[in-house]
Amino acid sequence: MRLGVLDVGSNTVHLLIVETHPGARPNPIASVKTELRLIDYINQDGGISDSGTKKLTDVIRNSIEAAHEKEVQEILPFATSALRDATNGSQVIKEINTVFNIDLQVMSGEEEARTTFLAARRWFGWSSGRLLVCDIGGGSLEIAIGVDETPDVAMSLPLGASRLTNNFLEGDPFSKKSIRTLRDHVENQLQEVLPALLKHQDTDRVVATSKTFRTLARLAKDWIPGNDKSMSASALRTISQKLGDMSLEERQDLPGVSSSRARQIVAGSIVAESVMRNLSIDSIEICPWALREGLVLKWLDWMEA
C-alpha cells in the first residue's frame, strides 16, 4: 500500500510517501518538502493572513498533485502548531478541505507528543525500556515519557524554534541581549511547567527526534569528535555558543543547514540545551523516525484492528 503523509507544519509543508502494509515498517519512496514558513504569516489578530492562506493553498495543491503522480492510495493530512494556534485556523482548514476534498485535521500538542513517542518506541523496540522522547518543531516543543507504546506523560509547550526566533531574536548576528532574553524565557517556561513526575522519573533511554535535533547532532559531529547518532550536553553547550556568535550568512554556509534552518537553529539549540539541563540529561540519541512515521504506524494499527 502506498500512503502519503501530508504534514502542514510551522516551517514546512512536507509530503512523505511510503510503501507499507500492516505488519511492515514504513518504507519511504519519495519526499516533497516546501519551506512555506506559515508561522511568518500570522497577523496582528493572531490569524493566518490572506497571502499566507493563498500560499498554503497553492503548496497543498502541488503536494496533492505530487501524491497523485506517485499513485498514492491514501493521503493522511494533518496540521500542527501554526494552524492549531491561529485564530482563523479552523476556517482556513475548512476551506482547504472543501477545495481539495481531503480531511486535513489539527493535531493537538499532546497528540503530537504521543504519536512521536510511538514512532520512537517502534524504532528502538521494547528492549529500550523506559523512553524519554523530545521533539523541537517550528512552533512547539513536545516531550513524552513512558515504558509502553502510549506514554505515561505527554506534553507540548510553545517553545518552537521558529516561533522563538520571531518573538525574541534581533540583529545579525543576534544581539547578546536578545539571546539572554530568550534563554531566560525558555528557562522560566521549562522550570514552571515541567512536572515533578517528568523531572524525576528514571529513564533507560533519552531520545530526540525532529530536524532541529538532527541538525545539531550533525554540527556536533563536525565540530567535536563523535558521530551524528547521539549528542552530549557538553557538546550542545559548545555549539550553541558558537551558533549564537555567527551571522546568518555564516550559519547558512554550515554543512547540512538550509537557509530557513540557519535562521532558527540558534533558538533551537537554546531550547535543546535548556531541556537537557532541566531534565539532567547527559546525552541524547537521535531517532530517524518522528511524527510522520508515527502517524503511519497508528493508521496501520487501525487497519489491523
Side-chain angles (χ1 to χ4, degrees):
M1 176 173 290
R2 187 165 293 184
L3 300 177
V5 183
L6 183 58
D7 175 0
V8 181
S10 299
N11 289 323
T12 62
V13 176
H14 188 173
L15 172 69
L16 176 66
I17 300 175
V18 301
E19 287 278 12
T20 190
H21 59 267
R25 61 175 284 168
N27 179 34
I29 62 170
S31 177
V32 180
K33 183 185 296 186
T34 304
E35 293 186 353
L36 176 60
R37 298 191 58 78
L38 190 60
I39 202 168
D40 289 348
Y41 292 93
I42 302 295
N43 57 34
Q44 292 184 342
D45 297 326
I48 305 294
S49 66
D50 291 342
S51 61
T53 301
K54 182 180 183 305
K55 289 189 176 182
L56 175 60
T57 302
D58 291 341
V59 171
I60 290 180
R61 177 179 292 107
N62 293 337
S63 298
I64 292 175
E65 289 175 354
H68 290 160
E69 289 174 3
K70 294 292 186 180
E71 299 180 342
V72 167
Q73 296 165 269
E74 186 85 24
I75 297 177
L76 310 177
F78 70 95
T80 55
S81 62
L83 280 174
R84 181 169 66 230
D85 297 339
T87 54
N88 62 342
S90 58
Q91 180 60 37
V92 172
I93 289 173
K94 181 179 179 180
E95 292 173 3
I96 288 172
N97 285 338
T98 300
V99 170
F100 299 111
N101 192 29
I102 60 175
D103 188 23
L104 176 65
Q105 295 185 8
V106 169
M107 187 177 290
S108 71
E110 182 178 326
E111 187 60 24
E112 274 193 66
R114 290 179 177 275
T115 305
T116 302
F117 183 89
L118 172 64
R121 167 62 70 198
R122 294 281 179 90
W123 180 267
F124 287 107
W126 292 109
S127 62
S128 56
R130 193 170 193 82
L131 285 181
L132 170 62
V133 179
C134 305
D135 183 292
I136 301 172
S140 60
L141 159 72
E142 277 71 46
I143 301 175
I145 184 172
V147 71
D148 297 318
E149 291 199 334
T150 300
D152 300 325
V153 177
M155 59 190 304
S156 179
L157 303 171
L159 296 176
S162 185
R163 181 197 299 271
L164 295 176
T165 301
N166 289 349
N167 292 346
F168 289 93
L169 295 181
E170 301 173 345
D172 185 22
F174 295 130
S175 70
K176 299 296 184 184
K177 180 180 179 180
S178 68
I179 288 177
R180 283 196 302 271
T181 301
L182 173 56
R183 285 188 181 277
D184 290 344
H185 172 77
V186 173
E187 197 71 16
N188 290 337
Q189 287 276 300
L190 291 178
Q191 288 178 347
E192 288 178 8
V193 301
L194 284 182
L197 177 65
L198 183 63
K199 293 183 73 171
H200 298 292
Q201 286 197 44
D202 291 331
T203 56
D204 299 300
R205 204 161 197 162
V206 182
V207 174
T209 68
S210 78
K211 182 65 173 177
T212 294
F213 271 112
R214 290 198 300 272
T215 301
L216 290 170
R218 164 72 186 274
L219 294 174
K221 181 198 73 169
D222 290 344
W223 292 348
I224 302 167
N227 60 65
D228 57 1
K229 306 299 183 185
S230 64
M231 179 172 55
S232 68
S234 61
L236 179 57
R237 285 193 296 271
T238 298
I239 64 175
S240 179
Q241 181 64 51
K242 291 182 69 172
L243 288 168
D245 291 337
M246 290 180 173
S247 67
L248 177 60
E249 184 177 358
E250 288 172 327
R251 294 194 300 272
Q252 288 173 336
D253 288 338
L254 295 173
V257 180
S258 65
S259 57
S260 65
R261 189 70 53 184
R263 180 174 176 270
Q264 65 185 51
I265 195 62
V266 174
S269 71
I270 290 171
V271 174
E273 187 183 350
S274 188
V275 167
M276 293 184 72
R277 179 171 53 253
N278 276 278
L279 296 179
S280 301
I281 298 170
D282 294 324
S283 181
I284 197 163
E285 293 183 71
I286 307 301
C287 179
W289 281 3
L291 180 58
R292 288 179 289 273
E293 289 80 7
L295 190 65
V296 171
L297 294 168
K298 285 185 67 174
W299 190 87
L300 291 172
D301 288 348
W302 175 78
M303 288 291 289
E304 283 190 301

